[in-house]
Amino acid sequence: MAREQAKGHDNGQTPLILAMQRLYAEALRQGPTTREELAGKVGLPHPVTAEAFERLVALELLEPGGPRSDVYDRRLLEVAEARTLAPLRRAVDDAERRLVTAAGEFGALREAQAAAEEAGHRESAAVEVRAHDVDPMLETAAKDCRTEVLTAQPGGPRPVHALTQAQERDTAMLERGVVMRTIYQHSARFSSSTEAYAARLSEAGAEIRTLDLLFSRLIIFDRRVAFIPARGPGAVLIRHRDVVSYLVDVFQLAWQAASPFESAYKSRRNGFVVPDVQKAISRLLLIEEKDAAIARRLGISERSCRQHIASLMAQLGARNRTHLGFLLAGELYE
């Protein structure tokens, strides 16, 4: 039996499919029979057998029949297939028709919007997008993108679920020949998930760099539409050409100052990330008292922030935080 299962896997069949095949074949041989009798004949583990039996019932290949409610009879494959697939095909055809109709309507409305903007009506040049609408709009903008996408992702390491969600979208753009440039903060180098994501995208053609301090999140598609954070939950969609052009310039300045993304090992070996972070902390200490706020700006943990501050105090011989601020201000204005 193990050899049969291995053979099935080689053919791309799952244990569930194998169990369904064995149960249905046995039902064809036996005729009306009980669930327990069928399961006993195939000799497969109970969990997979139970799941396979339920799938056969759902596909209407097995149905209750006869005077006893626990007896199941087999139905011809062609009959069950027609009963199951026909409504599904109708649903797919209906969805395709609705998709074509809606796409045509939105295309016509987009032309009207473009004409209004050309005539000087800028009401839609900046639109606030609710939080639950941001991801669908990013997906649409990514699918429409044809030349370039610029992204600034502050906050250090990105959550795994966000990377997983973005990977398919970003890979599809790169495969279409879209130029992709992304800036993270230095702390993202020390996240294994972000490092792996960056390596995959770099292999596909993306360019990724890091910076000590970074402005708020920014995504620009084809230099014609940009997304920036809103004051509350959600984002602001910007179409105004002059504003988008300005945001591109801001990104370009940050890009020129950023360093190519490298692994945590290479970053430690090259030895520039920690000094950069400490320089940024030095600047922030002069305008911000709370360690938590400084840590958020740099995308690092509060504990790491305190360790860097302690290192700075040791380097400068500061007796306390006030003395450290005095020494840093002296260095800054020398």
Side-chain angles (χ1 to χ4, degrees):
M1 185 179 300
R3 285 194 298 271
E4 290 178 5
Q5 290 180 339
K7 181 179 178 182
H9 281 296
D10 291 339
N11 293 333
Q13 294 174 334
T14 65
L16 175 61
I17 294 297
L18 288 169
M20 291 172 64
Q21 287 178 329
R22 293 175 68 93
L23 280 173
Y24 186 62
E26 192 62 36
L28 290 174
R29 285 192 292 268
Q30 293 290 329
T33 185
T34 65
R35 175 176 182 159
E36 290 73 17
E37 289 172 344
L38 271 181
K41 292 288 186 179
V42 299
L44 293 174
H46 175 72
V48 70
T49 303
E51 186 178 0
F53 188 90
E54 294 302 328
R55 283 301 300 151
L56 290 174
V57 172
L59 294 174
E60 299 188 24
L61 285 163
L62 291 177
E63 59 179 352
R68 294 171 50 188
S69 60
D70 61 339
V71 172
Y72 288 82
D73 199 0
R74 74 275 191 258
R75 173 177 277 166
L76 287 179
L77 184 67
E78 292 78 8
V79 175
E81 185 175 17
R83 287 173 61 90
T84 300
L85 296 186
L88 292 176
R89 289 195 178 102
R90 286 195 297 270
V92 169
D93 291 341
D94 181 58
E96 287 182 347
R97 284 193 296 271
R98 287 187 284 117
L99 173 62
V100 170
T101 300
E105 291 168 343
F106 279 113
L109 293 170
R110 188 176 291 118
E111 291 177 4
Q113 174 180 276
E117 290 179 355
E118 286 297 324
H121 302 288
R122 295 290 182 176
E123 291 85 352
S124 61
V127 180
E128 188 165 349
V129 181
R130 295 179 181 177
H132 63 271
D133 292 327
V134 172
D135 284 339
M137 294 198 69
L138 284 174
E139 292 288 340
T140 300
K143 289 178 181 177
D144 292 341
C145 185
R146 289 296 176 267
T147 58
E148 178 187 59
V149 58
L150 309 175
T151 307
Q153 297 283 4
R158 298 185 65 196
V160 174
H161 70 86
L163 295 173
T164 302
Q165 184 179 15
Q167 182 174 344
E168 183 177 349
R169 178 181 67 211
D170 293 346
T171 302
M173 285 191 286
L174 289 167
E175 289 175 349
R176 293 199 304 270
V178 173
V179 174
M180 181 177 294
R181 288 187 288 164
T182 298
I183 307 175
Y184 293 121
Q185 287 186 273
H186 283 335
S187 52
R189 295 170 181 255
F190 302 96
S191 162
S192 58
S193 57
T194 307
E195 180 186 341
Y197 173 77
R200 286 192 296 270
L201 286 194
S202 296
E203 290 175 1
E207 293 183 78
I208 302 176
R209 296 184 180 183
T210 65
L211 200 58
D212 51 359
L213 281 170
L214 191 58
F215 43 80
S216 299
R217 190 182 186 197
L218 170 65
I219 305 177
I220 306 172
F221 295 98
D222 289 338
R223 305 198 177 198
R224 62 177 182 80
V225 60
F227 290 84
I228 62 173
R231 287 186 178 180
V236 176
L237 168 65
I238 299 173
R239 296 192 185 93
H240 194 293
R241 285 173 293 186
D242 295 334
V243 177
V244 174
S245 179
Y246 176 82
L247 293 173
V248 171
D249 290 342
V250 170
F251 180 91
Q252 298 282 34
L253 287 173
W255 181 259
Q256 291 167 11
S259 303
F261 193 107
E262 293 180 324
S263 67
Y265 169 76
K266 288 183 179 178
S267 298
R268 292 189 180 96
R269 184 188 65 190
N270 294 339
F272 73 91
V273 170
V274 171
D276 273 5
V277 171
Q278 290 185 353
K279 287 177 184 176
I281 289 175
S282 298
R283 296 194 298 271
L284 292 172
L285 278 170
L286 298 176
I287 59 174
E288 178 58 63
E289 295 181 358
K290 296 182 179 179
D291 295 347
I294 295 174
R296 280 196 301 271
R297 288 285 303 274
L298 295 173
I300 61 177
S301 68
E302 193 171 345
R303 179 181 177 184
S304 295
C305 182
R306 291 193 182 117
Q307 290 174 342
H308 284 300
I309 293 173
S311 178
L312 285 169
M313 292 178 66
Q315 292 172 30
L316 298 177
R319 296 186 297 273
N320 50 47
R321 290 284 289 268
T322 302
H323 188 207
L324 176 62
F326 175 79
L327 294 174
L328 289 173
E331 284 193 351
L332 181 62
Y333 294 109
E334 280 183 354

